[in-house]
Each structure stands twice: as structure tokens, then as C-alpha cells.
Amino acid sequence: MHTDRIRNAALERRIMSAEQAATLFRSGMTVGMSGFTKAGDCKALPHALAQRAREEGLQLNLIT
């Protein structure tokens, strides 16, 4: 992760994996995601959310 670019220690402690971040979402939430990356770049969080949906039945309203 790019922790060398974060100068604030309090913010650096908040960095987490996509799998950890996916646990913060609850069924029924509406989630907005940006689509602004280079073509072909993968995004870790949508993949982690999809995995949770398969395993736990997580249901989100997704806006991109």
C-alpha cells in the first residue's frame, strides 16, 4: 500500500484491505462508486463486495 505518501499518522492507521473495508457495508445500503480508472485496471473493493454477496447474501444498491 502507498503508506509512504501519507503524512498523517492518524489517517495512516485507517488504511485497510479491500476485504476489511467490505465488512463496513450493510445490506440495503446505496453505494456510489467511481468508474474513473484506466481501462483494464481492476478495483479491489468491488471484487471484495461481490465475494461477500456470494458468501453472505449481502445486497446493495450500486450506482456507478
Side-chain angles (χ1 to χ4, degrees):
M1 301 215 188
H2 303 283
T3 57
D4 57 316
R5 296 189 292 176
I6 300 172
R7 296 181 185 142
N8 184 309
L11 294 177
E12 186 175 356
R13 286 191 292 272
R14 291 179 171 235
I15 294 175
M16 63 183 74
S17 70
E19 291 75 21
Q20 290 169 317
T23 67
L24 301 175
F25 294 83
R26 302 288 175 247
S27 282
M29 286 182 160
T30 298
V31 179
M33 291 189 184
S34 171
F36 296 104
T37 61
K38 296 181 296 188
D41 279 358
C42 66
K43 293 184 180 181
L45 184 58
H47 179 73
L49 287 171
Q51 188 66 30
R52 266 200 69 208
R54 282 190 293 272
E55 294 173 358
E56 302 173 25
L58 178 68
Q59 294 184 356
L60 300 172
N61 300 306
L62 183 60
I63 301 170
T64 61

